[in-house]
Amino acid sequence: MPDYQAPLRDIRFVMNELLDYPAHYASLPGGDEASDDIVTAILEEGARFAHEVLTPLNQSSDREGCTFEGGEVKAPSGFKAAYQQYVEGGWPSLAASPEHGGQGLPPSLAMVLSEMVASANLSWGMYPGLSHGAMNALEHHGSEVLKQTYLTKLVEGSWTGTMCLTEPHCGTDLGLIKTRAVPLDDSDDSKGHRISGTKIFISAGEHDLSDNIVHLVLAKLPDAPEGSRGISLFVVPKFLPDANGEAGERNGVSCGSIEHKMGIHGNATCVMNFDSAKGFLVGPPHKGLACMFTMMNAARLGVGIQGVALAEASFQNALGYARDRLQMRALSGAKAPEKAADPIIVHPDVRRMLLTQKAIAEGGRMLVMYAAQFNDIVENAPDSEDKARADTLLGLLTPIVKAFLTETGFEATNHGVQVYGGHGFIQEWGMEQFVRDARITLLYEGTTGIQALDLLGRKILMSQGESLKVFTKEIHKFCQASEGSEFANPLAELNREWGELTMAVGMGAMQDREAVGAASVDYLMYAGYVTLGYLWARAGETAKAALTAGEGDTAFYQAKLDTARFYFQRILPRTQGHAAMIRAGGETLMAPTVEGFGSGFEI
């Protein structure tokens, strides 16, 4: 059975040495609550919970899956007890507002816990994970009545949440949704609406872990404008609250079926039917998509964390296997002459795969925690120029976190299988589960292609490149301060090229409207590699300084420096392939006729 131990030393390096989280927390209103002692206790207890409670359930839940009978879903054995421990530990309330029963700690701390949970058991982590997005939406857009009724229960953890967007006939194009909301009283929206329609692919839509499930549902009012401008958001509980605020009468919400999936078998992915279910408007009428984006952006960061988490889990197990598995002799001579063969970790190609996994997992952790600082500022800092800058950078980084870290995370899990060889393909070793579980991260909360269009089209070109300039200016300042270092010069060149590529795509789009779509995924991957290059450069310089100062923990800092060098020499050159494809434009993509793909296709 695969194991997982939270990489606390690396987490502390990122938080304390690379990104100076103590100073960051001190700058936030109420940030003094996140003292070193509190943060250490949270990290250590989170690591214990992930290792002792969740990891042992990961493989068994994959094999058992969820059961569906009579409209009711039961999660795999052990999940309910684990969730009860999670609630008793106060984890759902960690970063929630004290006004609604939360502990008021910075959201970034909850993100660290999310990584540990996803590494240990991704399927289990999705049940409470969806609740955080629902909390964010209600916190920002819900009325005070909705907050007191639903948000307090979500913060407490006795109720869980979902987000219900997708319908059988539409996924990304939400303007096509057919779910309808009819007011119960035309003169007073607060009296509620009757919600009717079907939603699909609803993670944690039905289960037995909590007393109630709070669905946030997109629907259209009778007077809704056409398209996405006519979408409204509603709270639709599984059970309507009674006079005491507890789960009471069953609402018109039911699970029609659960999906049989490639991975995440322990999480129920549901078809949800709303049959004149009572729901309550969140935010203004017809502004539901804007309200839902609060939830979706939080979820996109969460999915990026899942990519990092699975890369880490796969890497830990592949590393342990490579140290023990004996196979052939090293080409330079026996490294373990007392044994029949050398451990496979001596072979260059195995090291290539392990170092790629390590660079992806540790680099991805840096990126998540870097973005998390901006999220803290946006959520907690008073209105200021710093908050505006943080909002710009968070908007720019979110599609990179979501898409790039899941693409590379999936790559890392495949390397894990390859390190094991044939054993990696066998279910009992658990490595193939990481691959199957990781595959969904490239799809839900917006595919890689959707995130790429968001990054290039919406975030960069629509701002005339201003959002990108904020970030590339930061990279430029680092390169100037580190001029002459082994990392600064190649990073500075890529930073310059990034601007040139952006301008080239923008100019091409003036002549060809398909140019943005043709370049977008390569552009996102290029952006991801450069962004990780910036953070690995900072990590390499930090490690180098610690080694020069003789601060101890020499093996850790040397490994960090070695990995930074590996990233720059063996992974960062991938940017040049993406740059060439960006420059190639869209002609070869769009030139073939539909018939050119094969017979029998018509548009």
Side-chain angles (χ1 to χ4, degrees):
M1 182 177 75
D3 195 16
Y4 166 73
Q5 297 276 359
L8 292 178
R9 178 64 184 91
D10 197 65
I11 290 170
R12 291 188 179 107
F13 169 80
V14 175
M15 295 182 72
N16 298 336
E17 299 177 62
L18 184 68
L19 300 177
D20 197 5
Y21 259 77
H24 165 66
Y25 286 151
S27 71
L28 298 173
D32 53 348
E33 294 292 326
S35 65
D36 290 346
D37 288 346
I38 293 294
V39 171
T40 297
I42 288 170
L43 294 181
E44 291 179 353
E45 182 57 23
R48 184 204 65 77
F49 179 75
H51 176 65
E52 295 181 7
V53 179
L54 299 182
T55 299
L57 299 174
N58 192 38
Q59 196 170 31
S60 62
S61 65
D62 178 66
R63 293 177 179 176
E64 180 183 345
C66 297
T67 57
F68 176 72
E69 187 174 347
E72 301 292 329
V73 172
K74 286 189 176 180
S77 303
F79 271 33
K80 187 170 184 176
Y83 185 73
Q84 289 171 342
Q85 289 188 50
Y86 179 80
V87 172
E88 289 166 4
W91 295 112
S93 67
L94 191 68
S97 167
E99 185 181 354
H100 301 106
Q103 300 174 49
L105 290 165
S108 54
L109 267 179
M111 290 189 183
V112 179
L113 177 68
S114 294
E115 184 199 325
M116 296 181 189
V117 167
S119 287
N121 194 320
L122 177 60
S123 292
W124 184 93
M126 291 174 66
Y127 290 100
L130 270 297
S131 298
H132 293 300
M135 288 185 220
N136 284 340
L138 289 172
E139 177 73 40
H140 287 278
H141 305 290
S143 67
E144 196 54 43
V145 171
L146 290 180
K147 289 178 183 179
Q148 291 301 323
T149 305
Y150 297 100
L151 182 56
T152 53
K153 289 292 188 180
L154 290 168
V155 169
E156 182 184 275
S158 57
W159 296 1
T160 56
T162 75
M163 50 194 298
C164 299
L165 288 72
T166 304
E167 299 186 3
H169 60 283
C170 71
T172 302
D173 191 354
L174 293 170
L176 299 175
I177 65 171
K178 295 179 180 178
T179 301
R180 291 293 179 262
V182 178
L184 288 170
D185 185 336
D186 290 338
S187 64
D188 187 355
D189 266 338
S190 67
K191 293 187 181 296
H193 298 71
R194 290 295 180 189
I195 314 297
S196 299
T198 296
K199 301 288 184 177
I200 64 170
F201 301 157
I202 308 306
S203 299
E206 173 63 26
H207 57 80
D208 60 345
L209 304 190
S210 61
D211 297 336
N212 201 1
I213 301 173
V214 180
H215 302 285
L216 267 70
V217 183
L218 291 182
K220 289 190 173 184
L221 292 163
D223 61 344
E226 290 295 320
S228 60
R229 294 183 300 111
I231 297 174
S232 299
L233 180 63
F234 299 86
V235 163
V236 187
K238 175 181 177 180
F239 296 102
L240 293 165
D242 62 18
N244 297 316
E246 301 301 326
E249 177 188 353
R250 181 69 186 252
N251 203 0
V253 181
S254 63
C255 178
S257 64
I258 59 174
E259 304 293 350
H260 302 281
K261 312 181 296 289
M262 177 179 178
I264 54 169
H265 293 159
N267 190 265
T269 303
C270 303
V271 174
M272 299 302 301
N273 297 318
F274 298 88
D275 184 11
S276 294
K278 193 170 185 179
F280 302 91
L281 187 65
V282 179
H286 318 313
K287 301 296 182 183
L289 204 55
C291 298
M292 184 61 85
F293 263 111
T294 301
M295 192 174 185
M296 289 172 67
N297 284 332
R300 286 169 176 175
L301 292 173
V303 176
I305 291 170
Q306 292 175 353
V308 174
L310 292 171
E312 174 66 36
S314 182
F315 167 62
Q316 286 190 17
N317 287 278
L319 178 61
Y321 185 84
R323 285 171 169 161
D324 294 337
R325 174 71 171 175
L326 302 180
Q327 196 80 12
M328 302 187 299
R329 290 295 185 189
L331 296 178
S332 56
K335 306 300 181 185
E338 74 283 2
K339 296 181 179 179
D342 286 325
I344 62 173
I345 198 169
V346 307
H347 303 308
D349 191 55
V350 173
R351 286 175 167 247
R352 174 188 63 82
M353 292 185 285
L354 291 172
L355 281 166
T356 299
Q357 288 185 294
K358 189 175 193 290
I360 288 169
E362 294 179 7
R365 183 172 300 115
M366 296 178 211
L367 176 51
V368 165
M369 296 310 297
Y370 178 66
Q373 286 187 318
F374 298 127
N375 187 62
D376 284 347
I377 295 168
V378 170
E379 291 293 324
N380 296 317
D383 289 338
S384 65
E385 290 184 12
D386 286 345
K387 187 168 184 173
R389 178 178 180 274
D391 194 42
T392 296
L393 286 169
L394 182 61
L396 180 78
L397 292 172
T398 294
I400 298 174
V401 169
K402 195 283 175 188
F404 177 76
L405 294 185
T406 57
E407 290 281 349
T408 53
F410 182 60
E411 175 190 347
T413 61
N414 277 286
H415 284 314
V417 169
Q418 196 76 5
V419 169
Y420 273 68
H423 293 290
F425 199 66
I426 304 302
Q427 195 174 58
E428 67 188 79
W429 289 90
M431 298 303 287
E432 54 83 38
Q433 182 187 342
F434 294 135
V435 176
R436 288 186 288 103
D437 286 353
R439 189 62 187 85
I440 187 58
T441 65
L442 284 67
L443 300 173
Y444 55 20
E445 306 310 331
T447 63
T448 300
I450 293 299
Q451 301 302 320
L453 284 172
D454 180 46
L455 173 68
L456 178 55
R458 185 163 171 262
K459 300 293 173 55
I460 294 177
L461 294 181
M462 284 182 66
S463 71
Q464 302 296 310
E466 290 303 313
S467 60
L468 179 61
K469 289 176 186 176
V470 175
F471 184 46
T472 55
K473 185 176 181 180
E474 181 169 321
I475 298 176
H476 177 68
K477 287 180 178 178
F478 168 80
C479 292
Q480 279 189 320
S482 307
E483 189 174 2
S485 79
E486 61 187 296
F487 304 116
N489 290 345
L491 181 60
E493 179 60 27
L494 287 170
N495 198 40
R496 180 192 60 77
E497 184 182 50
W498 193 355
E500 293 174 353
L501 289 169
T502 304
M503 185 172 292
V505 174
M507 295 295 290
M510 295 174 68
Q511 306 297 322
D512 178 7
R513 294 179 66 87
E514 303 288 0
V516 174
S520 59
V521 170
D522 286 300
Y523 185 93
L524 183 141
M525 296 303 292
Y526 182 98
Y529 285 120
V530 175
T531 301
L532 239 62
Y534 166 55
L535 293 166
W536 267 116
R538 288 179 59 177
E541 293 298 332
T542 301
K544 200 183 299 182
L547 289 167
T548 302
E551 294 180 0
D553 211 353
T554 302
F556 175 85
Y557 291 117
Q558 187 61 55
K560 189 65 66 178
L561 179 57
D562 289 342
T563 310
R565 288 168 172 162
F566 171 84
Y567 183 87
F568 265 72
Q569 294 180 19
R570 301 298 296 258
I571 295 181
L572 197 54
R574 296 179 184 184
T575 54
Q576 297 315 294
H578 290 295
M581 288 183 277
I582 291 167
R583 291 190 177 101
E587 184 179 351
T588 54
L589 287 175
M590 306 309 295
T593 62
V594 174
E595 291 76 14
F597 285 91
S599 60
F601 295 96
E602 293 183 3
I603 293 181

